[in-house]
Amino acid sequence: MSRPGRDDSPDRLYTLTGGRTRSAPDNPFDLVTLVVAEGDPVTGMQSEHAAILRLTEHPTAVVELAAELKLPVSITKILLSDLLAAGRVSARHPRAAVSDPDVLEQVLVGLRNL
């Protein structure tokens, strides 16, 4: 069984990223970063960039984008960095989980009352 991105021609991946193997060191993207398009695809845009913009009409995690595009996460992050630098997408991390014991206790009491 082939894995997405693993059987792609290295030449294709090299072309997609312009030869880059890593995104910038200040790259804000990790697997769970939510990405949202800030506009629609434009004529002449790289097809993968256009696909990302279509997929991110609603907040979408980086790992989901990589799976949909059938590309390695590292390549997807490079493409996302390009779009972020151009102002075509925005990125945010999901909110941290609630860890306040009092809040969790109130939720538990509320669930028991159902």
Side-chain angles (χ1 to χ4, degrees):
M1 180 173 154
S2 67
R3 294 187 297 174
R6 298 291 181 185
D7 299 324
D8 287 339
S9 165
D11 295 340
R12 176 178 176 263
L13 299 177
Y14 181 88
T15 303
L16 284 177
T17 63
R20 293 169 290 159
T21 58
R22 295 177 190 213
S23 51
D26 59 342
N27 180 352
F29 301 105
D30 59 24
L31 293 178
V32 296
T33 302
L34 297 175
V35 181
V36 179
E38 296 295 333
D40 295 324
V42 295
T43 304
M45 181 177 276
Q46 184 175 336
S47 62
E48 287 77 12
H49 286 148
I52 289 170
L53 292 178
R54 284 190 296 276
L55 290 168
T56 58
E57 290 178 0
H58 303 286
T60 308
V62 171
V63 70
E64 292 178 70
L65 290 172
E68 286 291 327
L69 295 169
K70 296 184 173 129
L71 291 172
V73 172
S74 59
I75 302 296
T76 304
K77 287 180 181 181
I78 293 170
L79 297 173
L80 287 169
S81 293
D82 295 342
L83 290 170
L84 184 66
R88 307 291 295 174
V89 297
S90 59
R92 69 169 199 244
H93 290 281
R95 294 183 183 164
V98 177
S99 59
D100 181 11
D102 293 331
V103 172
L104 295 175
E105 182 66 31
Q106 290 174 358
V107 170
L108 183 60
V109 169
L111 289 172
R112 286 182 181 151
N113 290 335
L114 291 175

